[in-house]
Amino acid sequence: MSKIIELDAPSIGETEKKYLCEAVDSGFISSVGSFIPEFEKKVANYLDVKGAVALQSGTAAIHMALYELGIGSGDEVIVPALTFAATVNPVLYTGATPVIVDVDPNTWNIDPQKIRQAITKKTKAVIPVHVYGNPCDMKEIMAIAKEHDLYVIEDATESLGAKLNGKHTGDFGEFGCFSFNGNKLITTGGGGMVVSNNIEKIEHIRYLANQAKDKDRPGCHSEMGFNYRMTNVEAALGLAQFERMSEFLDKKRAFKEIYQEVLGDLSGVRFQDTYSNATESRWFTCIAIENEAKVSDVMQQLKEKGISTRRIFVPLDEMPYLRKYATMCSNAHAVYNRGICLPGSVLNEESDIKEVALIMREILGG
């Protein structure tokens, strides 16, 4: 295969160049400029939420959400084992204690029953992660949260564009947190956003993220603030990408359909299950190879043909600094041991993905 098949590289073209040049020409390249509020407004309108704050990362978004809710020392926050470390690290930043629970073996998302079992008198919040763009069982999670008076902070960093019962991920809990890292559906280079229907809390986060500067007294800070502001240049890139988001979503959804069409009948291959009322964003299409001994060999053979893949997230309880916070997470380990993320960059064409799938089918003996 002569063409490089990209795993997760972003598509940056003329639209992005135009917006970036406008930002530079305006002279506003840092944390002041018209592109920032415009980007926030467009994302908020798309998600049908009342407010949004553009930040430096999805990690910052989760941190600010926890901080704004007053979560700290003595509190517990429930998180899934199968996620990127940036889900759990902000819990530690606040001084709270993460409680790592197992995932559903079919959807790979946090198991609501494991949430219920992990609740104690110290539990203050749960952070469900819509892993790889696959919506969680938010109806059940929100019911559990209401029953036990818990906050819900959605880690929607991988799920922009995904819906459950027609409602966007990120809209269910007190806060939704998004990422615009270079490998996400749309990118600002780095960057993230926190959204909510609580305008008072959103505006306070906006204030805190700008170092809690007192607007009436320059140089004075009435609270401890954070340097989490998105720049105007980053927001310009985000706006250009936002204009192309439907194109990106269509491509990623088409890619998964191709993978399922070519590989779906193989007895040794499984895809993530989704709820019948869910619409995935399909940030990554991932498979689990039932014979885990084959995983490394399959990845190596694909690499030799110029096809990039990567492993599923390493379960959090395997990380030395997090082991003491974990419950038994056998499902997360089973997924990790068998799981591969397949090429999903929108730089690829459907014909590229079809070729990848056919090569995989041959390797797997289908």
Side-chain angles (χ1 to χ4, degrees), residues 125-185:
V126 57
I127 306 179
V129 181
H130 307 289
V131 73
Y132 298 120
N134 185 26
C136 294
D137 184 358
M138 292 309 299
K139 180 179 179 181
E140 182 64 17
I141 291 170
M142 293 306 295
I144 293 169
K146 183 176 181 180
E147 179 183 346
H148 294 274
D149 194 26
L150 305 178
Y151 294 118
V152 174
I153 300 169
E154 287 178 78
D155 183 337
T157 54
E158 303 165 19
S159 67
L160 182 63
K163 293 182 179 180
L164 187 69
N165 290 322
K167 186 174 182 178
H168 283 278
T169 56
D171 291 10
F172 291 87
E174 276 70 27
F175 292 105
C177 301
F178 294 87
S179 171
F180 307 123
N181 190 33
N183 63 359
K184 292 303 193 295
L185 179 71

Side-chain angles (χ1 to χ4, degrees), residues 68-126:
E68 179 63 21
L69 293 172
I71 292 170
S73 179
D75 297 332
E76 294 178 350
V77 179
I78 298 172
V79 300
L82 198 67
T83 183
F84 186 48
T87 302
V88 68
N89 287 341
V91 178
L92 296 173
Y93 298 164
T94 67
T97 300
V99 178
I100 299 166
V101 303
D102 208 359
V103 298
D104 179 272
N106 300 313
T107 66
W108 307 356
N109 285 325
I110 193 167
D111 184 340
Q113 294 313 309
K114 298 298 183 183
I115 295 174
R116 191 179 291 277
Q117 293 167 14
I119 294 170
T120 71
K121 291 181 180 179
K122 295 181 179 181
T123 309
K124 290 295 188 295
V126 57

Side-chain angles (χ1 to χ4, degrees), residues 29-51:
I29 61 169
S30 189
S31 57
V32 177
S34 62
F35 288 111
I36 301 167
E38 187 178 353
F39 185 41
E40 291 171 338
K41 183 177 180 180
K42 287 200 171 182
V43 173
N45 287 344
Y46 172 78
L47 296 172
D48 195 26
V49 293
K50 293 181 180 178

Side-chain angles (χ1 to χ4, degrees), residues 62-362:
I62 295 171
H63 187 195
M64 292 310 305
L66 289 162
Y67 187 86
E68 179 63 21
L69 293 172
I71 292 170
S73 179
D75 297 332
E76 294 178 350
V77 179
I78 298 172
V79 300
L82 198 67
T83 183
F84 186 48
T87 302
V88 68
N89 287 341
V91 178
L92 296 173
Y93 298 164
T94 67
T97 300
V99 178
I100 299 166
V101 303
D102 208 359
V103 298
D104 179 272
N106 300 313
T107 66
W108 307 356
N109 285 325
I110 193 167
D111 184 340
Q113 294 313 309
K114 298 298 183 183
I115 295 174
R116 191 179 291 277
Q117 293 167 14
I119 294 170
T120 71
K121 291 181 180 179
K122 295 181 179 181
T123 309
K124 290 295 188 295
V126 57
I127 306 179
V129 181
H130 307 289
V131 73
Y132 298 120
N134 185 26
C136 294
D137 184 358
M138 292 309 299
K139 180 179 179 181
E140 182 64 17
I141 291 170
M142 293 306 295
I144 293 169
K146 183 176 181 180
E147 179 183 346
H148 294 274
D149 194 26
L150 305 178
Y151 294 118
V152 174
I153 300 169
E154 287 178 78
D155 183 337
T157 54
E158 303 165 19
S159 67
L160 182 63
K163 293 182 179 180
L164 187 69
N165 290 322
K167 186 174 182 178
H168 283 278
T169 56
D171 291 10
F172 291 87
E174 276 70 27
F175 292 105
C177 301
F178 294 87
S179 171
F180 307 123
N181 190 33
N183 63 359
K184 292 303 193 295
L185 179 71
I186 66 172
T187 184
T188 58
M193 192 170 286
V194 59
V195 306
S196 179
N197 285 309
N198 189 320
I199 288 295
E200 183 179 350
K201 290 189 181 300
I202 278 291
E203 291 307 317
H204 189 235
I205 287 176
R206 189 187 313 283
Y207 171 68
L208 291 174
N210 191 27
Q211 297 283 26
K213 292 180 179 179
D214 190 331
K215 65 179 181 179
D216 297 321
R217 189 181 177 190
C220 183
H221 306 262
S222 57
E223 298 181 58
M224 183 185 75
F226 302 84
N227 187 12
Y228 280 165
R229 303 162 292 179
M230 179 177 284
T231 68
N232 200 45
V233 170
E234 290 169 326
L237 179 57
L239 274 170
Q241 290 268 287
F242 187 82
E243 287 187 5
R244 303 175 62 198
M245 189 167 68
S246 61
E247 167 199 340
F248 297 161
L249 281 168
D250 287 346
K251 259 197 167 184
K252 285 183 175 287
R253 288 166 178 162
F255 290 171
K256 184 167 186 180
E257 288 171 8
I258 292 168
Y259 283 125
Q260 288 179 314
E261 179 184 342
V262 177
L263 302 173
D265 66 333
L266 297 181
S267 59
V269 172
R270 290 184 56 203
F271 290 81
Q272 271 182 287
D273 282 354
T274 59
Y275 297 106
S276 59
N277 52 355
T279 302
E280 299 172 275
S281 66
R282 298 180 178 174
W283 174 50
F284 267 120
T285 295
C286 306
I287 61 169
I289 297 174
E290 290 304 302
N291 184 351
E292 62 184 71
K294 287 186 176 182
V295 172
S296 295
D297 181 58
V298 169
M299 294 179 70
Q300 180 59 35
Q301 288 192 54
L302 290 171
K303 182 179 180 181
E304 290 170 0
K305 295 179 182 293
I307 301 170
S308 298
T309 59
R310 80 177 194 193
R311 296 297 299 269
I312 301 296
F313 292 124
V314 176
L316 295 181
D317 65 319
E318 279 201 19
M319 301 180 193
Y321 73 107
L322 296 175
R323 285 174 187 156
K324 63 183 178 181
Y325 303 116
T327 60
M328 181 69 70
C329 299
S330 56
N331 291 336
H333 283 267
V335 174
Y336 171 70
N337 290 337
R338 297 168 174 82
I340 301 175
C341 297
L342 304 178
S345 168
V346 292
L347 290 176
N348 301 318
E349 299 299 335
E350 291 182 28
S351 58
D352 300 323
I353 300 303
K354 180 70 173 288
E355 188 173 356
V356 169
L358 288 170
I359 290 170
M360 289 194 65
R361 187 179 180 92
E362 182 180 352

